[in-house]
Amino acid sequence: MGAGFASTERFLAELKENRLRPGYVFAGDEVFLYERCRKAIFKVLVPPEMRDFCFSELDLSETNIFEALDLARTPSLMAPFQVFFIRNVKTLYTRGAKKQEFAAIEEYFRSPNPQALVVFVADHLHIPADPRRMSLDDKNRYERLRETLGEWCGMVELARVDETDALRWLNGQAKKREGEIDGDAARELGDGMGADMMRVAGGLDKLVLYVAGKRD
């Protein structure tokens, strides 16, 4: 599989096998892969009845990194494990060197809370299906992430999915739903959606409902 699917598959395997690192960076703006990882985290680590106690979504434009890390460091009296999604990571890379902020991040990950998972959501960069086509600005953003947060966290690349992987995913999903999709139909669906996986997935759902209706 391509970069996007391969990176998320590695993360999902670590989650399933209980080999998680204390922190991850979700780098890229591919919403389909982000939602895939997020839903898997919720399924494994965030029981519905405990969500209010074990899940926090923080925005660095509203909560500074020091407060976010203090929350991650503090054990919960109500939940055995906590998950923190930290958004607006780009604020760590604007207006100054942010030496104190990165020192605090290093201090936390040198002795992380073993009962917490911290996910930095870096959706301010775009990773194309072919990384060689990444813009210079996005390359620089990615390298800064890798050289800073990547020192302590696993990097999960949410890259756009190429046509081949989109078709493979379509075929796999069709089989899971006890059906199959014709090769030409799969290519037409993928081409029509421009390999935008959110739209491809939505198109498949509509197709499944249509076929089910025809059978009825």
Side-chain angles (χ1 to χ4, degrees):
M1 285 190 171
F5 269 118
S7 187
T8 54
E9 286 298 326
R10 285 193 297 271
F11 170 75
L12 294 175
E14 291 173 11
L15 176 63
K16 182 179 180 180
E17 297 165 11
N18 196 26
R19 295 187 291 109
L20 284 177
R21 299 179 62 168
Y24 287 86
V25 180
F26 286 0
D29 61 354
E30 174 50 72
V31 177
F32 174 82
L33 295 178
Y34 168 79
E35 289 294 339
R36 191 169 184 231
C37 293
R38 182 182 171 101
K39 288 176 181 177
I41 289 173
F42 272 56
K43 183 177 180 181
V44 175
L45 301 175
V46 185
E49 69 277 9
M50 297 292 290
R51 178 167 178 169
D52 291 342
F53 305 110
C54 69
F55 174 74
S56 298
E57 191 153 26
L58 308 171
D59 190 320
L60 291 183
S61 67
E62 302 169 355
T63 304
N64 65 49
I65 190 64
F66 307 106
E67 295 170 332
L69 293 173
D70 281 343
L71 289 171
R73 188 178 288 113
T74 305
S76 171
L77 298 176
M78 303 296 293
F81 196 89
Q82 299 180 85
V83 176
F84 297 87
F85 271 62
I86 299 179
R87 306 189 68 86
N88 246 321
V89 169
K90 65 182 179 182
T91 61
L92 291 173
Y93 301 90
T94 57
R95 297 182 184 177
K98 298 292 194 297
K99 290 183 179 180
Q100 292 182 331
E101 285 83 347
F102 285 112
I105 291 169
E106 178 177 346
E107 180 183 2
Y108 174 81
F109 283 107
R110 283 191 181 279
S111 183
N113 178 359
Q115 301 303 318
L117 171 67
V118 178
V119 177
F120 293 95
V121 181
D123 53 5
H124 60 291
L125 73 159
H126 173 77
I127 305 177
D130 183 350
R132 295 171 298 180
R133 297 189 176 185
M134 191 186 302
S135 73
L136 181 59
D137 284 344
D138 283 330
K139 284 181 181 178
N140 290 336
R141 293 183 185 110
Y142 182 83
E143 284 304 309
R144 292 180 73 188
L145 284 169
R146 191 179 61 80
E147 293 169 0
T148 50
L149 295 176
E151 284 290 306
W152 310 101
C153 303
M155 297 290 294
V156 181
E157 297 177 5
L158 306 182
R160 291 300 169 95
V161 176
D162 64 24
E163 182 181 345
T164 300
D165 281 339
L167 294 177
R168 186 179 293 120
W169 181 86
L170 277 170
N171 288 320
Q173 288 298 305
K175 290 178 181 178
K176 285 183 179 179
R177 302 184 190 198
E178 299 182 352
E180 60 181 270
I181 184 168
D182 176 80
D184 290 337
R187 279 189 291 274
E188 185 174 343
L189 180 58
D191 290 343
M193 302 301 179
D196 180 325
M197 287 303 299
M198 289 297 285
R199 296 179 65 198
V200 168
L204 178 62
D205 288 339
K206 291 177 181 177
L207 186 60
V208 169
L209 288 173
Y210 173 76
V211 172
K214 294 282 283 186
R215 288 173 178 170
D216 293 341

